[in-house]
Amino acid sequence: MQLVQASGLVKTFSRLRAVDGVSLEVSRGEVVGFLGPNGAGKSTTMKMLTGFLEPDAGTASIAGHDVFADPIAARRRLGYLPEGAPAYGDMTVADFLAFVGRMRGLANSALGERLAEMVERVNLAAVWNRPIDALSKGFKRRVGIAQALIHDPEVLILDEPTDGLDPNQKHDMRELISAIAPGKAIVISTHILEEVEAICSRVVIIDEGRVVADATPSALLDAAAVDGRRPTLEAVFRSITGSKAA
Amino acid sequence: MKTSFRTIALVFGREFRAYFATPLAAVFLLVFLALSAGLAFFAGGFFERGQADLGPFFAWHPWLFLILMPAIGMRLWADERRSGVIELLMTLPVRAHEVVIGKFLAGWAFTAVALVLTMSFWLVTLYLGSPDNGIVAASYIGSFLMAGAFLAISACVSAMTKNQVIAFILAAIVSFLLVMSGTNLVLAALRGWAPAFVVDLVQSLSFITNFDRLTRGVLEAPAVILFVSTIVLALWINVQVVDAKKAA
């Protein structure tokens, strides 16, 4: 069974067709890098995958549960980091993660264990009792990751998890994603192409609302090779997404 | 309709605490106490009347609430939209109505705190004379219900925008119309041309008219029904708005 399954997703905002027939399948163990120029429809697609935004056409399901027909079951199996890692700024990290954990059905010792694991894995001990408003961008992002992981979901959808992080933090975030990847289906959107080569098992590139490439990073590079010499992923990205990106 | 009371309780707890996370709560409570006392003493003739009752105190509540309830309700949803937390919240395994009810109850409970703090007036009148405690109790219940109706309207309006100021102003305007609909100003303007049943209808929807009934000491069913059904209707619209307008 595909943990993430989307077919023919369409979304139009007033007159702009933001997403135009995107289909996507992600199975267990895969880390899919979701690439595209700004405004290509990455975030909109992710919002539809999570059931936050209702598509004009098409379907999406998480672990076999349709995100619109059976939203509660689908959302239970999903961890989602929305764009910009929003959180309740007035709460401390500890209170916020406990709140999300409880909203996800965790309680008592199970909640305590998960919170302890988040402190450890996402490295939050230094800011545990600080209000989120007072955190640096890097820590805010990590809190966003921790709330997405709190219930150990099968499916993770992360919208720009490394945006605004410094190189060390980016490195840590990639290590973390690679470490949790086995046994989960993960979709991450990013602008950073080196990140895709570092952690993704598959690349999906979208442009103007359509999927224009869907392959492993090395297959993508092989296909674009000239005289046996592979171009950089950046060159491939620029040639695929065309004049607009150039 | 399936409902998780655990979710409602969790949302309630978070939102209720959020009121006290900033100095806003203290400011609000102080302003409410100062205004309700000040208006009762200086504009309502609380002492000069020579009667041990709380009439002058409650008479100002519709006017106070029409400003203060939008202030309590404006952040409930607009802030979620502005910060983007709504995206996180509505992708948790929760139903929209659970979140709507939890948030509303948190604001209402905060209002209850404000009302309880004013009970010192009651104690003063008990010390100075012998007020009709039935009337005072009914007035407090009426005031709490009316505040709930204003708050539900404010929460509903707050769900329509990401701007708290706009939420506040729109909610205050709607509340103002509901208060004004019972005044002679509005009714006289209508009487000239509108059929009698329209005038009666507008008057029957007035928060002031209905609140006045309750402060006379009888928990009259029509007044209670008006406030309760306003709460239910506003929250129902709130749920529809949240469901339809998640991403805007």
Side-chain angles (χ1 to χ4, degrees), chain A residues 119-196:
Chain A
V119 177
E120 177 87 5
R121 279 213 122 153
V122 192
N123 206 353
L124 289 170
V127 296
W128 193 239
N129 286 311
R130 279 217 249 149
I132 293 172
D133 268 342
L135 302 185
S136 67
K137 214 170 175 184
F139 271 118
K140 273 186 191 158
R141 220 24 80 145
R142 278 194 246 174
V143 170
I145 293 282
Q147 65 78 20
L149 285 174
I150 188 83
H151 55 305
D152 197 18
E154 290 173 280
V155 176
L156 269 177
I157 293 181
L158 309 175
D159 201 346
E160 304 199 343
T162 59
D163 184 45
L165 302 189
D166 68 33
N168 293 330
Q169 293 167 333
K170 277 184 184 142
H171 175 79
D172 291 347
M173 186 67 80
R174 284 176 206 155
E175 297 264 285
L176 173 67
I177 292 172
S178 297
I180 58 174
K184 296 190 195 304
I186 304 181
V187 180
I188 62 172
S189 77
T190 178
H191 283 298
I192 304 154
L193 297 165
E194 52 185 288
E195 196 159 287
V196 174

Side-chain angles (χ1 to χ4, degrees), chain A residues 49-60:
Chain A
L49 288 178
T50 59
F52 179 68
L53 203 58
E54 197 161 353
D56 300 332
T59 59

Side-chain angles (χ1 to χ4, degrees), chain A residues 13 43 47 50-54 71-72 75-76 78 80 82-83 86-88 90-91 96 99-107 147 159, chain B residues 6-7 10-11 14-15 17-19 21-22 75 80 83-95 98-99 103 243 246-248:
Chain A
F13 294 115
S43 289
K47 283 175 187 168
T50 59
F52 179 68
L53 203 58
E54 197 161 353
I72 303 288
R75 291 178 200 164
R76 275 191 222 288
L78 169 76
Y80 177 39
E83 193 177 8
Y88 285 120
D90 55 1
M91 295 177 101
F96 176 65
F99 170 71
V100 174
R102 289 197 182 96
M103 289 285 274
R104 288 198 168 279
L106 295 169
Q147 65 78 20
D159 201 346
Chain B
R6 183 168 187 268
T7 301
L10 286 168
V11 172
R14 193 221 93 75
E15 293 295 331
R17 254 174 258 133
Y19 281 112
T22 63
R75 52 164 284 281
E80 307 278 56
S83 66
V85 176
I86 190 163
E87 199 167 337
L88 195 153
L89 191 63
M90 300 318 291
T91 51
L92 293 172
V94 298
R95 297 169 190 88
E98 294 162 354
V99 182
K103 280 174 175 286
D243 265 337
K246 280 180 194 162

Side-chain angles (χ1 to χ4, degrees), chain B:
Chain B
M1 191 159 58
K2 274 193 187 167
T3 299
S4 160
F5 290 98
R6 183 168 187 268
T7 301
I8 294 176
L10 286 168
V11 172
F12 172 86
R14 193 221 93 75
E15 293 295 331
F16 188 70
R17 254 174 258 133
Y19 281 112
F20 295 95
T22 63
L24 199 79
V27 170
F28 177 89
L29 292 174
L30 273 176
V31 167
F32 180 69
L33 284 175
L35 278 181
S36 58
L39 289 170
F41 280 111
F42 297 113
F46 185 66
F47 274 133
E48 291 82 349
R49 285 156 52 103
Q51 293 173 19
D53 74 11
L54 288 171
F57 165 70
F58 284 111
W60 290 98
H61 279 200
W63 302 101
L64 278 177
F65 286 156
L66 102 83
I67 296 298
L68 294 175
M69 287 301 118
I72 289 185
M74 65 182 184
R75 52 164 284 281
L76 284 176
W77 289 96
D79 208 35
E80 307 278 56
R81 256 188 228 295
R82 188 196 49 76
S83 66
V85 176
I86 190 163
E87 199 167 337
L88 195 153
L89 191 63
M90 300 318 291
T91 51
L92 293 172
V94 298
R95 297 169 190 88
H97 70 271
E98 294 162 354
V99 182
V100 166
I101 293 170
K103 280 174 175 286
F104 167 75
L105 289 179
W108 212 14
F110 183 72
T111 313
V113 172
L115 279 176
V116 167
L117 289 177
T118 66
M119 285 184 179
S120 45
F121 284 103
W122 195 352
L123 297 178
V124 169
T125 51
L126 276 172
Y127 175 75
L128 294 174
S130 47
D132 184 329
N133 289 320
I135 289 184
V136 176
S139 301
Y140 265 113
I141 293 170
S143 177
F144 184 57
L145 286 174
M146 180 177 62
F150 280 132
L151 177 67
I153 290 166
S154 305
C156 177
V157 170
S158 169
M160 296 175 185
T161 172
K162 63 171 89 174
N163 185 323
Q164 288 197 43
V165 176
I166 292 177
F168 174 82
I169 292 171
L170 284 180
I173 289 172
V174 175
S175 304
F176 182 68
L177 293 177
L178 283 169
V179 168
M180 288 299 285
S181 70
T183 60
N184 276 325
L185 191 70
V186 171
L187 295 176
L190 280 176
R191 266 188 205 109
W193 53 276
F197 79 91
V198 172
V199 178
D200 288 347
L201 183 73
V202 169
Q203 188 171 19
S204 71
L205 288 177
S206 163
F207 278 26
I208 281 203
T209 313
N210 283 283
F211 180 62
D212 280 349
R213 285 200 191 130
L214 292 176
T215 54
R216 269 184 247 123
V218 195
L219 275 179
E220 276 190 62
V224 172
I225 290 169
L226 174 78
F227 292 134
V228 171
S229 53
T230 303
I231 292 172
V232 172
L233 178 68
L235 294 184
W236 182 81
I237 297 173
N238 193 344
V239 172
Q240 309 309 313
V241 172
V242 169
D243 265 337
K245 245 193 90 160
K246 280 180 194 162

